[in-house]
Amino acid sequence: MAWNREHAGVAAAPAVAIDWSVTAMTEAAGRLAAPGAWDLRRAAAAVSETVWWVTLVDATLVRYHPRDYERALASKAVRRRKTEEALEGLRYVRNQMGRSVDPAEFVCPAAGDDSTAWAWRALPEPRLGGLTPRARQWELSRYRAYQARLAGRDIVRTFARCTEFLEQAAGLVGGGAPPGPGTPRLRGPPVHDTAHRLGWSAWRRRHQARSRTSHYRRQAAARP
């Protein structure tokens, strides 16, 4: 976070790109929360998509707008520790899926009478022998957050907590007061014209390329 604070605003993600990403994130979470019986594969695919969007929005705000992100975390409407641990646990899921772990490995039927509910599966500690000590420490921290805040808990509720916080943080970008609980975002819905769609699409591809390059570099640096 310290590096991000020093470089805040440098090549910052445009507000319209953040709006589009937040909209995609909330739509993905909404599809997962929709009533209906899903089989494991379909539920896992929906979880995978939502994890991708949540961690993308989270990473964008942390990287480009750390002060707004911190302001949102400091809001009385946010349970900071639980929110931070939930997001850290989702980063662990993202990293594991990036290493070709099947999304279904993270999902199991929730305990109780509701046969349509899904929970995060408790997982064994990952094998991290090929990582550097620093990378191993980071990944273990994320794994422990997953076990503490996600494992055994309702998946829809996890996403509801994280998306609500990220919407609040995104609402601060460009200046603004943190919205209260249940308050809709002050910015209107994204403009659905071709220019905005193409602009957002180009930004997303650049962001994905940077993320992929950074991921490969970290993997290479972690090899002994």
Side-chain angles (χ1 to χ4, degrees):
M1 286 291 288
W3 189 96
N4 289 327
R5 291 191 188 99
E6 293 172 5
H7 294 77
V10 177
V16 67
I18 294 174
D19 271 340
W20 274 107
S21 299
V22 168
T23 298
M25 173 188 72
T26 54
E27 287 178 351
R31 284 191 292 272
L32 189 59
W38 289 18
D39 59 31
L40 176 60
R41 289 295 170 185
R42 185 183 174 197
V47 167
S48 176
E49 180 189 11
T50 311
V51 166
W52 191 90
W53 279 114
V54 168
T55 54
L56 173 65
V57 173
D58 179 59
T60 300
L61 293 171
V62 168
R63 170 64 179 83
Y64 296 113
H65 303 283
R67 293 184 181 89
D68 297 320
Y69 190 89
E70 183 63 29
R71 283 178 62 200
L73 278 175
S75 169
K76 293 180 180 179
V78 174
R79 295 185 178 182
R80 178 167 187 150
R81 182 178 177 183
K82 291 182 177 180
T83 300
E84 287 183 314
E85 285 186 343
L87 287 166
E88 191 171 9
L90 291 179
R91 292 179 200 126
Y92 176 74
V93 177
R94 175 203 61 197
N95 290 353
Q96 291 298 301
M97 290 193 298
R99 298 185 178 100
S100 300
V101 175
D102 188 339
E105 294 293 321
F106 298 97
V107 180
C108 65
D113 298 330
D114 188 352
S115 61
T116 66
W118 297 93
W120 299 102
R121 188 189 302 274
L123 300 173
E125 187 171 301
R127 297 179 182 179
L128 304 173
L131 300 180
T132 63
R134 187 178 182 184
R136 189 181 305 121
Q137 182 179 4
W138 282 347
E139 202 63 7
L140 278 175
S141 174
R142 290 168 178 159
Y143 164 74
R144 289 165 184 155
Y146 174 90
Q147 289 293 104
R149 188 54 54 192
L150 270 64
R153 299 175 187 265
D154 185 90
I155 287 175
V156 170
R157 290 183 180 179
T158 297
F159 286 132
R161 175 187 296 278
C162 293
T163 55
E164 181 179 352
F165 161 71
L166 292 170
E167 282 188 277
Q168 291 185 37
L172 294 174
V173 173
T183 302
R185 299 176 64 226
L186 297 179
R187 265 197 222 99
V191 180
H192 294 273
D193 63 66
T194 303
H196 278 79
R197 286 181 181 273
L198 291 176
W200 175 79
S201 179
W203 175 86
R204 186 182 67 172
R205 288 196 299 272
R206 288 196 301 272
H207 186 87
Q208 288 174 322
R210 284 195 297 269
S211 298
R212 184 170 57 250
T213 300
S214 178
H215 175 70
Y216 289 151
R217 284 175 178 171
R218 285 197 302 271
Q219 282 188 326
R223 295 191 185 102

